Amino acid sequence: MSCGKPHETPCSEVLGRIYDYLDGELDQTGCSDIRQHLEECGPCLREYGLEEAVKKLVHKSCGCDPVPQDLRSKVLGRIEQVRASLTE
């Protein structure tokens, strides 16, 4: 996905790191880059909102049960495959 406008951090990079951002796994510079991009890019901001809503729904539905690492890896891998097929 790309809004077609030039950004310091490309849309594809922002969307590829959105779960790291949501999970608080980025350093201060990475968070700042993502925040700046979301402030100036409506399509990425909407995608971020969708991803945030999904994360909250999953958290609410699953409670505090730990997620098996292999399941997390499979889900993230599948998300990357779908994203890659959408950008082709």
Side-chain angles (χ1 to χ4, degrees):
M1 168 196 255
S2 175
C3 67
K5 298 178 184 175
H7 298 284
E8 190 171 321
T9 306
C11 295
S12 59
E13 183 178 333
V14 168
L15 295 176
R17 296 171 40 197
I18 204 73
Y19 277 103
D20 295 333
Y21 179 74
L22 284 167
D23 293 341
E25 296 175 355
L26 296 178
D27 61 17
Q28 187 174 3
T29 302
C31 286
S32 178
D33 292 346
I34 300 290
R35 258 188 256 112
Q36 178 183 353
H37 184 96
L38 293 175
E39 287 174 5
E40 58 190 40
C41 184
C44 286
L45 181 60
R46 283 188 295 279
E47 183 70 20
Y48 165 77
L50 176 63
E51 301 298 339
E52 183 180 38
V54 167
K55 183 174 173 68
K56 285 180 181 178
L57 179 63
V58 169
H59 179 73
K60 180 181 174 183
S61 298
C62 296
C64 296
D65 297 336
V67 177
Q69 185 59 39
D70 64 324
L71 175 60
R72 184 178 196 283
S73 297
K74 287 177 185 178
V75 170
L76 291 175
R78 182 66 182 131
I79 289 170
E80 289 303 317
Q81 287 175 344
V82 169
R83 281 197 179 137
S85 70
L86 293 174
T87 59
E88 294 177 349

Coordinates of all heavy atoms in Angstrom, one line a residue:
M1 N 0.8 -1.2 0.0 CA 0.0 0.0 0.0 C 0.9 1.2 0.0 O 1.9 1.3 0.7 CB -0.9 0.0 1.2 CG -1.6 1.4 1.4 SD -2.2 1.6 3.1 CE -3.9 1.4 2.7
S2 N 0.5 2.2 -0.8 CA 1.2 3.5 -0.8 C 0.2 4.5 -1.2 O -0.7 4.3 -2.0 CB 2.3 3.5 -1.8 OG 2.9 4.7 -1.9
C3 N 0.3 5.7 -0.5 CA -0.6 6.8 -0.8 C -0.2 7.5 -2.1 O -0.9 8.4 -2.6 CB -0.7 7.7 0.4 SG 0.8 8.7 0.7
G4 N 1.0 7.2 -2.6 CA 1.5 7.9 -3.8 C 2.3 9.2 -3.5 O 2.8 9.8 -4.4
K5 N 2.3 9.6 -2.3 CA 3.0 10.8 -1.9 C 4.4 10.4 -1.3 O 4.5 9.4 -0.7 CB 2.2 11.6 -0.9 CG 0.9 12.1 -1.5 CD 0.1 12.9 -0.4 CE -1.2 13.2 -0.9 NZ -2.1 13.9 0.1
P6 N 5.4 11.3 -1.6 CA 6.7 11.0 -1.0 C 6.7 11.3 0.5 O 6.2 12.3 1.0 CB 7.6 11.9 -1.7 CG 6.8 13.1 -2.2 CD 5.4 12.5 -2.4
H7 N 7.3 10.4 1.3 CA 7.5 10.5 2.7 C 8.9 10.1 3.1 O 9.5 9.4 2.4 CB 6.5 9.5 3.5 CG 5.1 9.8 3.2 ND1 4.4 10.8 3.8 CD2 4.2 9.1 2.4 CE1 3.1 10.8 3.4 NE2 3.0 9.7 2.6
E8 N 9.4 10.7 4.2 CA 10.7 10.3 4.6 C 10.8 8.9 4.9 O 11.8 8.2 4.6 CB 11.0 11.1 5.9 CG 12.5 11.0 6.3 CD 12.8 12.0 7.4 OE1 12.4 13.1 7.4 OE2 13.6 11.5 8.3
T9 N 9.8 8.3 5.5 CA 9.7 6.8 5.7 C 8.6 6.3 4.8 O 7.4 6.7 4.9 CB 9.3 6.5 7.2 OG1 10.3 7.2 8.1 CG2 9.4 5.0 7.5
P10 N 8.9 5.4 3.9 CA 7.9 4.9 2.9 C 6.7 4.2 3.6 O 6.9 3.6 4.6 CB 8.7 4.0 2.0 CG 10.1 4.3 2.3 CD 10.2 4.9 3.6
C11 N 5.6 4.3 2.9 CA 4.4 3.6 3.4 C 4.6 2.1 3.7 O 4.2 1.6 4.7 CB 3.2 3.8 2.5 SG 2.7 5.5 2.2
S12 N 5.3 1.5 2.8 CA 5.5 0.0 2.9 C 6.3 -0.3 4.2 O 6.1 -1.3 4.8 CB 6.2 -0.6 1.7 OG 7.4 0.1 1.5
E13 N 7.3 0.5 4.5 CA 8.1 0.3 5.7 C 7.3 0.6 6.9 O 7.4 -0.2 7.9 CB 9.3 1.3 5.7 CG 10.3 1.0 6.8 CD 11.5 1.9 6.8 OE1 11.9 2.4 5.7 OE2 12.0 2.2 7.9
V14 N 6.5 1.6 6.9 CA 5.6 1.9 8.1 C 4.7 0.7 8.3 O 4.6 0.2 9.5 CB 4.9 3.2 7.9 CG1 3.8 3.4 8.9 CG2 5.8 4.4 7.9
L15 N 4.0 0.3 7.3 CA 3.0 -0.8 7.5 C 3.7 -2.1 7.8 O 3.1 -2.9 8.5 CB 2.2 -0.9 6.2 CG 1.3 0.3 5.9 CD1 0.5 0.1 4.6 CD2 0.3 0.5 7.1
G16 N 4.9 -2.3 7.4 CA 5.7 -3.5 7.7 C 6.1 -3.5 9.2 O 6.4 -4.6 9.7
R17 N 6.1 -2.4 9.8 CA 6.6 -2.3 11.2 C 5.5 -1.9 12.2 O 5.7 -1.6 13.3 CB 7.7 -1.2 11.3 CG 8.9 -1.6 10.5 CD 10.0 -0.6 10.4 NE 10.2 0.2 11.6 CZ 10.8 1.4 11.6 NH1 11.3 1.9 10.5 NH2 11.0 2.1 12.7
I18 N 4.2 -1.9 11.7 CA 3.1 -1.3 12.5 C 2.9 -2.2 13.7 O 2.6 -1.7 14.8 CB 1.8 -1.2 11.6 CG1 0.9 -0.1 12.2 CG2 1.1 -2.5 11.4 CD1 1.4 1.2 12.1
Y19 N 3.0 -3.5 13.6 CA 2.8 -4.4 14.8 C 3.9 -4.1 15.8 O 3.7 -4.2 17.0 CB 2.7 -5.8 14.5 CG 1.2 -6.1 14.0 CD1 0.9 -6.3 12.7 CD2 0.2 -6.2 15.0 CE1 -0.4 -6.6 12.3 CE2 -1.1 -6.5 14.6 CZ -1.4 -6.7 13.3 OH -2.7 -6.9 12.9
D20 N 5.2 -3.9 15.3 CA 6.2 -3.6 16.3 C 5.9 -2.3 17.0 O 6.2 -2.2 18.2 CB 7.6 -3.5 15.5 CG 8.0 -4.8 14.9 OD1 7.6 -5.9 15.4 OD2 8.8 -4.8 13.9
Y21 N 5.4 -1.4 16.3 CA 5.0 -0.1 16.9 C 3.9 -0.3 17.9 O 4.0 0.2 19.0 CB 4.6 0.9 15.8 CG 4.1 2.2 16.3 CD1 5.0 3.2 16.7 CD2 2.8 2.6 16.3 CE1 4.6 4.4 17.2 CE2 2.3 3.8 16.7 CZ 3.3 4.7 17.1 OH 2.8 6.0 17.6
L22 N 2.9 -1.0 17.5 CA 1.7 -1.3 18.4 C 2.2 -2.0 19.7 O 1.6 -1.8 20.8 CB 0.6 -2.1 17.7 CG -0.2 -1.3 16.7 CD1 -1.1 -2.3 15.9 CD2 -1.1 -0.3 17.5
D23 N 3.1 -2.9 19.5 CA 3.6 -3.7 20.6 C 4.7 -3.0 21.5 O 5.2 -3.6 22.4 CB 4.2 -5.0 20.1 CG 3.1 -5.9 19.5 OD1 1.9 -5.7 19.9 OD2 3.4 -6.9 18.8
G24 N 5.1 -1.8 21.1 CA 6.1 -1.1 21.8 C 7.5 -1.7 21.7 O 8.3 -1.6 22.6
E25 N 7.7 -2.3 20.5 CA 9.0 -3.0 20.3 C 10.0 -2.1 19.5 O 11.1 -2.6 19.1 CB 8.8 -4.3 19.6 CG 8.0 -5.2 20.5 CD 7.6 -6.5 19.8 OE1 7.9 -6.7 18.6 OE2 7.0 -7.4 20.4
L26 N 9.7 -0.9 19.2 CA 10.6 0.0 18.4 C 11.3 0.9 19.4 O 10.8 1.3 20.4 CB 9.8 0.8 17.4 CG 9.1 0.1 16.3 CD1 8.3 1.0 15.4 CD2 10.1 -0.7 15.5
D27 N 12.5 1.3 19.0 CA 13.2 2.3 19.8 C 12.6 3.7 19.5 O 11.7 3.8 18.7 CB 14.7 2.3 19.4 CG 15.0 2.7 17.9 OD1 14.1 3.2 17.3 OD2 16.1 2.4 17.5
Q28 N 13.1 4.7 20.2 CA 12.5 6.0 20.2 C 12.5 6.6 18.8 O 11.6 7.2 18.3 CB 13.3 7.0 21.1 CG 12.6 8.3 21.3 CD 13.3 9.2 22.3 OE1 14.3 8.8 22.9 NE2 12.8 10.3 22.6
T29 N 13.6 6.4 18.0 CA 13.7 6.9 16.7 C 12.7 6.2 15.8 O 12.0 6.9 15.0 CB 15.1 6.7 16.1 OG1 16.1 7.3 16.9 CG2 15.2 7.2 14.7
G30 N 12.6 4.9 15.9 CA 11.6 4.2 15.1 C 10.1 4.6 15.4 O 9.3 4.8 14.5
C31 N 9.8 4.8 16.7 CA 8.5 5.3 17.1 C 8.2 6.7 16.5 O 7.2 7.0 16.0 CB 8.3 5.4 18.6 SG 8.1 3.7 19.3
S32 N 9.3 7.5 16.6 CA 9.1 8.9 16.0 C 8.9 8.9 14.5 O 8.0 9.6 14.0 CB 10.4 9.7 16.4 OG 10.3 11.0 15.9
D33 N 9.6 8.0 13.8 CA 9.4 7.9 12.4 C 8.0 7.5 12.0 O 7.4 8.0 11.1 CB 10.4 6.9 11.8 CG 11.9 7.4 11.8 OD1 12.1 8.6 12.1 OD2 12.8 6.6 11.6
I34 N 7.5 6.5 12.7 CA 6.2 6.0 12.5 C 5.1 7.0 12.8 O 4.2 7.3 12.0 CB 5.9 4.7 13.3 CG1 6.9 3.6 13.0 CG2 4.4 4.2 13.1 CD1 6.7 3.0 11.6
R35 N 5.3 7.7 14.0 CA 4.3 8.7 14.4 C 4.3 9.9 13.3 O 3.2 10.3 12.9 CB 4.7 9.3 15.7 CG 3.8 8.7 16.8 CD 4.1 9.4 18.1 NE 4.8 8.6 19.0 CZ 6.1 8.7 19.3 NH1 6.7 9.8 19.0 NH2 6.7 7.8 20.1
Q36 N 5.4 10.3 12.9 CA 5.5 11.4 11.9 C 4.8 11.0 10.6 O 4.0 11.7 10.0 CB 6.9 11.8 11.6 CG 7.0 12.9 10.6 CD 8.5 13.2 10.2 OE1 9.4 12.7 10.8 NE2 8.6 14.0 9.2
H37 N 5.0 9.8 10.2 CA 4.4 9.3 8.9 C 2.9 9.2 9.1 O 2.2 9.7 8.2 CB 5.0 7.9 8.6 CG 4.4 7.4 7.3 ND1 5.1 7.5 6.1 CD2 3.3 6.8 7.0 CE1 4.4 7.0 5.1 NE2 3.3 6.5 5.6
L38 N 2.4 8.7 10.2 CA 1.0 8.6 10.4 C 0.3 9.9 10.5 O -0.9 10.1 10.1 CB 0.7 7.8 11.7 CG 1.1 6.3 11.7 CD1 0.9 5.7 13.0 CD2 0.4 5.5 10.6
E39 N 1.0 10.9 11.0 CA 0.4 12.3 11.0 C 0.2 12.9 9.6 O -0.7 13.7 9.5 CB 1.4 13.2 11.8 CG 1.3 12.9 13.3 CD 2.3 13.7 14.1 OE1 3.0 14.6 13.5 OE2 2.4 13.5 15.3
E40 N 1.0 12.5 8.7 CA 0.9 13.1 7.3 C 0.3 12.1 6.3 O 0.2 12.5 5.1 CB 2.3 13.6 6.9 CG 3.4 12.5 6.9 CD 4.8 13.1 6.7 OE1 5.1 14.1 7.2 OE2 5.5 12.4 5.9
C41 N 0.0 10.9 6.6 CA -0.5 9.9 5.6 C -1.8 9.3 6.1 O -1.8 8.4 6.9 CB 0.6 8.9 5.4 SG 0.1 7.7 4.1
G42 N -2.9 9.8 5.5 CA -4.2 9.3 5.8 C -4.4 7.8 5.6 O -5.0 7.1 6.5
P43 N -4.0 7.3 4.5 CA -4.2 5.8 4.2 C -3.5 5.0 5.3 O -4.0 4.0 5.8 CB -3.6 5.6 2.8 CG -3.8 6.9 2.1 CD -3.6 7.9 3.2
C44 N -2.3 5.3 5.6 CA -1.5 4.5 6.6 C -2.2 4.7 8.0 O -2.2 3.8 8.8 CB -0.1 4.9 6.7 SG 0.9 4.3 5.2
L45 N -2.7 5.9 8.3 CA -3.3 6.2 9.6 C -4.6 5.3 9.7 O -4.8 4.7 10.7 CB -3.7 7.6 9.7 CG -4.4 8.0 11.1 CD1 -3.5 7.7 12.2 CD2 -4.7 9.5 11.1
R46 N -5.3 5.2 8.6 CA -6.5 4.3 8.6 C -6.1 2.8 8.8 O -6.8 2.1 9.6 CB -7.3 4.5 7.3 CG -8.2 5.7 7.3 CD -9.1 5.8 6.2 NE -8.4 5.9 4.9 CZ -7.9 7.0 4.3 NH1 -8.0 8.1 5.0 NH2 -7.3 7.0 3.2
E47 N -5.1 2.4 8.1 CA -4.6 1.0 8.3 C -4.1 0.8 9.7 O -4.4 -0.3 10.3 CB -3.4 0.8 7.3 CG -2.9 -0.7 7.3 CD -3.9 -1.7 6.7 OE1 -4.8 -1.3 6.0 OE2 -3.7 -2.9 7.1
Y48 N -3.4 1.7 10.3 CA -3.0 1.7 11.7 C -4.2 1.5 12.6 O -4.2 0.7 13.5 CB -2.2 2.9 12.1 CG -2.0 3.1 13.5 CD1 -1.1 2.3 14.2 CD2 -2.7 4.0 14.3 CE1 -0.9 2.4 15.6 CE2 -2.6 4.1 15.6 CZ -1.7 3.4 16.3 OH -1.5 3.5 17.7
G49 N -5.2 2.3 12.4 CA -6.4 2.2 13.2 C -7.1 0.8 13.1 O -7.5 0.3 14.1
L50 N -7.1 0.2 11.9 CA -7.6 -1.1 11.7 C -6.8 -2.1 12.5 O -7.3 -3.0 13.2 CB -7.7 -1.4 10.2 CG -8.1 -2.8 9.9 CD1 -9.6 -3.1 10.3 CD2 -8.0 -3.1 8.4
E51 N -5.5 -2.0 12.3 CA -4.6 -3.0 13.0 C -4.7 -2.9 14.5 O -4.7 -3.9 15.2 CB -3.1 -2.8 12.6 CG -2.9 -2.9 11.1 CD -3.2 -4.3 10.5 OE1 -3.2 -5.3 11.3 OE2 -3.4 -4.4 9.3
E52 N -4.8 -1.6 15.0 CA -5.0 -1.4 16.4 C -6.3 -2.0 16.9 O -6.3 -2.6 18.0 CB -4.9 0.1 16.7 CG -5.0 0.4 18.2 CD -4.9 1.9 18.4 OE1 -5.5 2.7 17.7 OE2 -4.3 2.3 19.4
A53 N -7.4 -1.8 16.2 CA -8.6 -2.4 16.6 C -8.6 -3.9 16.6 O -9.1 -4.6 17.5 CB -9.7 -1.9 15.6
V54 N -7.9 -4.5 15.6 CA -7.8 -6.0 15.6 C -7.0 -6.5 16.8 O -7.4 -7.4 17.5 CB -7.1 -6.5 14.3 CG1 -6.7 -7.9 14.4 CG2 -8.1 -6.2 13.1
K55 N -5.9 -5.8 17.1 CA -5.1 -6.2 18.2 C -5.9 -6.1 19.5 O -5.9 -7.0 20.4 CB -3.9 -5.3 18.3 CG -2.9 -5.7 19.4 CD -1.7 -4.8 19.4 CE -0.8 -5.0 20.5 NZ -0.2 -6.3 20.6
K56 N -6.7 -5.0 19.7 CA -7.5 -4.9 20.9 C -8.6 -6.0 21.0 O -8.9 -6.5 22.0 CB -8.2 -3.5 20.9 CG -7.2 -2.4 21.3 CD -7.9 -1.1 21.3 CE -6.9 0.1 21.6 NZ -7.6 1.4 21.6
L57 N -9.2 -6.3 19.8 CA -10.2 -7.3 19.8 C -9.6 -8.7 20.2 O -10.2 -9.4 21.0 CB -10.9 -7.4 18.4 CG -11.9 -8.5 18.2 CD1 -13.1 -8.2 19.2 CD2 -12.4 -8.5 16.8
V58 N -8.5 -9.0 19.6 CA -7.8 -10.3 19.9 C -7.5 -10.3 21.4 O -7.7 -11.3 22.1 CB -6.6 -10.5 19.1 CG1 -5.7 -11.7 19.5 CG2 -7.0 -10.7 17.6
H59 N -6.9 -9.2 21.9 CA -6.6 -9.2 23.3 C -7.8 -9.4 24.2 O -7.8 -10.1 25.2 CB -5.9 -7.9 23.7 CG -5.5 -7.7 25.1 ND1 -4.4 -8.4 25.7 CD2 -6.0 -7.0 26.1 CE1 -4.3 -8.2 26.9 NE2 -5.3 -7.3 27.3
K60 N -8.9 -8.7 23.9 CA -10.1 -8.9 24.6 C -10.7 -10.3 24.6 O -11.1 -10.8 25.6 CB -11.2 -7.9 24.1 CG -12.5 -7.9 24.8 CD -13.5 -6.9 24.2 CE -14.8 -7.0 24.8 NZ -15.8 -6.1 24.2
S61 N -10.6 -10.9 23.4 CA -11.2 -12.2 23.2 C -10.3 -13.3 23.8 O -10.8 -14.3 24.3 CB -11.4 -12.5 21.7 OG -12.3 -11.6 21.2
C62 N -9.0 -13.1 23.8 CA -8.1 -14.1 24.3 C -7.7 -14.0 25.7 O -7.0 -14.8 26.3 CB -6.8 -14.2 23.4 SG -7.2 -14.6 21.7
G63 N -8.0 -12.8 26.3 CA -7.6 -12.6 27.7 C -6.1 -12.5 27.8 O -5.4 -12.0 27.0
C64 N -5.6 -13.2 28.9 CA -4.2 -13.1 29.2 C -3.5 -14.4 28.8 O -2.4 -14.6 29.3 CB -4.0 -12.7 30.7 SG -4.6 -11.1 31.1
D65 N -4.1 -15.2 28.1 CA -3.4 -16.5 27.7 C -2.2 -16.2 26.9 O -2.3 -15.4 25.9 CB -4.4 -17.4 26.9 CG -5.6 -17.8 27.7 OD1 -5.5 -17.8 29.0 OD2 -6.6 -18.2 27.1
P66 N -1.1 -16.8 27.2 CA 0.1 -16.5 26.4 C 0.0 -17.2 25.0 O -0.6 -18.2 24.8 CB 1.2 -17.2 27.2 CG 0.6 -18.2 28.1 CD -0.8 -17.7 28.3
V67 N 0.5 -16.5 24.0 CA 0.4 -16.9 22.6 C 1.7 -17.8 22.4 O 2.8 -17.3 22.6 CB 0.4 -15.8 21.6 CG1 0.4 -16.2 20.2 CG2 -0.8 -14.9 21.9
P68 N 1.5 -19.0 21.9 CA 2.6 -19.8 21.5 C 3.5 -19.1 20.5 O 2.9 -18.6 19.5 CB 2.0 -21.1 21.0 CG 0.6 -21.1 21.5 CD 0.2 -19.7 21.7
Q69 N 4.8 -19.2 20.6 CA 5.7 -18.5 19.7 C 5.5 -19.0 18.3 O 5.5 -18.2 17.3 CB 7.1 -18.6 20.1 CG 8.1 -17.8 19.3 CD 7.8 -16.3 19.3 OE1 7.5 -15.7 20.3 NE2 8.0 -15.7 18.1
D70 N 5.3 -20.3 18.1 CA 5.2 -20.8 16.7 C 3.9 -20.3 16.1 O 3.9 -20.0 14.9 CB 5.2 -22.3 16.7 CG 4.1 -23.0 17.4 OD1 3.7 -22.5 18.5 OD2 3.6 -24.0 17.0
L71 N 2.8 -20.1 16.8 CA 1.6 -19.5 16.3 C 1.8 -18.1 15.9 O 1.4 -17.7 14.8 CB 0.4 -19.6 17.3 CG -0.9 -19.0 16.9 CD1 -1.4 -19.6 15.6 CD2 -1.9 -19.1 18.0
R72 N 2.4 -17.3 16.7 CA 2.7 -15.9 16.4 C 3.5 -15.8 15.2 O 3.2 -15.0 14.3 CB 3.5 -15.3 17.6 CG 3.7 -13.8 17.4 CD 4.4 -13.2 18.7 NE 4.3 -11.8 18.8 CZ 5.1 -10.9 18.1 NH1 5.9 -11.4 17.2 NH2 5.0 -9.6 18.2
S73 N 4.5 -16.6 15.0 CA 5.4 -16.6 13.8 C 4.6 -17.0 12.6 O 4.8 -16.3 11.5 CB 6.6 -17.6 14.0 OG 7.4 -17.2 15.0
K74 N 3.7 -18.0 12.7 CA 2.9 -18.4 11.5 C 2.0 -17.2 11.1 O 1.8 -17.0 9.9 CB 2.1 -19.6 11.8 CG 2.9 -20.9 11.9 CD 2.1 -22.1 12.3 CE 2.9 -23.3 12.5 NZ 2.1 -24.5 12.9
V75 N 1.3 -16.6 12.1 CA 0.4 -15.5 11.8 C 1.1 -14.4 11.1 O 0.7 -13.8 10.1 CB -0.4 -15.1 13.0 CG1 -1.2 -13.8 12.8 CG2 -1.3 -16.2 13.5
L76 N 2.2 -13.9 11.7 CA 3.0 -12.8 11.2 C 3.5 -13.2 9.8 O 3.5 -12.3 8.9 CB 4.1 -12.4 12.1 CG 3.7 -11.8 13.4 CD1 4.9 -11.5 14.3 CD2 2.9 -10.5 13.2
G77 N 4.0 -14.4 9.6 CA 4.4 -14.8 8.3 C 3.3 -14.8 7.2 O 3.5 -14.3 6.1
R78 N 2.1 -15.2 7.6 CA 1.0 -15.1 6.7 C 0.6 -13.7 6.3 O 0.3 -13.4 5.2 CB -0.2 -15.9 7.3 CG -1.4 -16.0 6.4 CD -1.1 -16.8 5.1 NE -2.3 -16.8 4.3 CZ -2.3 -16.5 3.0 NH1 -1.1 -16.2 2.3 NH2 -3.4 -16.5 2.3
I79 N 0.6 -12.8 7.3 CA 0.4 -11.4 7.1 C 1.3 -10.8 6.1 O 1.0 -10.1 5.2 CB 0.4 -10.6 8.4 CG1 -0.8 -11.0 9.3 CG2 0.4 -9.1 8.2 CD1 -0.8 -10.5 10.7
E80 N 2.6 -11.2 6.2 CA 3.6 -10.7 5.3 C 3.4 -11.2 3.9 O 3.5 -10.5 2.9 CB 5.0 -11.1 5.8 CG 5.5 -10.3 7.0 CD 5.4 -8.8 6.8 OE1 5.9 -8.3 5.8 OE2 4.9 -8.1 7.7
Q81 N 3.0 -12.5 3.8 CA 2.7 -13.0 2.5 C 1.5 -12.3 1.8 O 1.6 -12.0 0.6 CB 2.3 -14.5 2.6 CG 3.4 -15.4 2.9 CD 3.0 -16.9 3.1 OE1 1.8 -17.1 3.3 NE2 3.9 -17.8 3.1
V82 N 0.5 -12.0 2.6 CA -0.7 -11.3 2.0 C -0.3 -9.9 1.6 O -0.6 -9.4 0.5 CB -1.9 -11.3 3.0 CG1 -3.0 -10.3 2.6 CG2 -2.4 -12.7 3.2
R83 N 0.5 -9.2 2.5 CA 0.9 -7.9 2.1 C 1.8 -7.9 0.9 O 1.6 -7.0 0.0 CB 1.7 -7.3 3.3 CG 0.8 -6.7 4.4 CD 1.6 -5.8 5.3 NE 0.7 -5.3 6.3 CZ 1.0 -5.2 7.6 NH1 2.2 -5.6 8.0 NH2 0.2 -4.7 8.4
A84 N 2.7 -8.8 0.7 CA 3.5 -8.9 -0.4 C 2.7 -9.1 -1.7 O 2.9 -8.5 -2.7 CB 4.5 -10.0 -0.3
S85 N 1.7 -10.0 -1.6 CA 0.8 -10.2 -2.8 C 0.0 -9.0 -3.1 O -0.3 -8.8 -4.3 CB -0.1 -11.4 -2.5 OG -1.1 -11.1 -1.6
L86 N -0.3 -8.2 -2.2 CA -1.1 -7.0 -2.5 C -0.3 -5.9 -3.1 O -0.8 -5.0 -3.8 CB -1.7 -6.4 -1.2 CG -2.8 -7.3 -0.5 CD1 -3.2 -6.7 0.8 CD2 -4.0 -7.4 -1.5
T87 N 1.0 -5.9 -2.9 CA 1.9 -4.9 -3.5 C 2.4 -5.2 -4.9 O 3.1 -4.5 -5.5 CB 3.1 -4.5 -2.6 OG1 3.8 -5.7 -2.3 CG2 2.6 -4.0 -1.2
E88 N 2.2 -6.5 -5.3 CA 2.7 -6.9 -6.6 C 1.8 -6.4 -7.7 O 0.7 -6.0 -7.7 CB 2.7 -8.5 -6.7 CG 3.7 -9.0 -5.7 CD 3.7 -10.6 -5.7 OE1 2.8 -11.2 -6.3 OE2 4.6 -11.1 -5.1

